[in-house]
């Protein structure tokens, strides 16, 4: 693991960097910075996206987030709560 972290550190210093997500069971558990997709793949990382946060569902399309919000609205309506 230490060797991989050193490789990541070196790769990130070479040029323009991008964010990548480490995802376990559909949840973002870490966000790392890598120079390219090949380096990210060494860590099992996938492309990040605007709004990605550790602890959130990995949802680059925004569809899951929209479904969750829609369900929240439905629950609020059923309970008679105002948003």
């Amino acid at each position: 693991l230490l060797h991989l972290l050193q490789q990541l550190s070196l790769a990130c210093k070479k040029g323009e960097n991008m964010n990548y997500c480490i995802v376990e069971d559909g949840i973002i558990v870490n966000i790392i910075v890598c120079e390219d997709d090949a380096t990210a793949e060494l860590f099992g990382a996938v492309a990040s996206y605007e709004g990605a946060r550790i602890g959130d569902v990995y949802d680059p399309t925004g569809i899951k987030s929209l479904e969750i919000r829609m369900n929240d609205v439905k629950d609020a309506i059923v309970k008679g709560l105002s948003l």
Side-chain angles (χ1 to χ4, degrees), residues 6-18:
Q6 289 169 338
Q7 284 181 325
L8 174 63
S9 177
L10 290 174
C12 289
K13 292 178 184 175
K14 290 181 185 175
E16 195 169 315
N17 301 321
M18 296 177 12

Side-chain angles (χ1 to χ4, degrees), residues 29-78:
V29 296
N30 204 349
I31 297 176
I32 63 173
V33 179
C34 296
E35 182 180 45
D36 54 36
D37 292 346
T39 303
E41 285 180 26
L42 292 172
F43 299 92
V46 293
S48 186
Y49 54 92
E50 187 175 333
R53 296 182 308 191
I54 295 172
D56 284 355
V57 172
Y58 181 73
D59 183 22
T61 63
I63 291 173
K64 290 190 187 294
S65 296
L66 181 58
E67 289 173 353
I68 291 168
R69 286 189 296 239
M70 288 174 56
N71 286 335
D72 289 346
V73 169
K74 287 179 189 175
D75 289 345
I77 291 170
V78 167

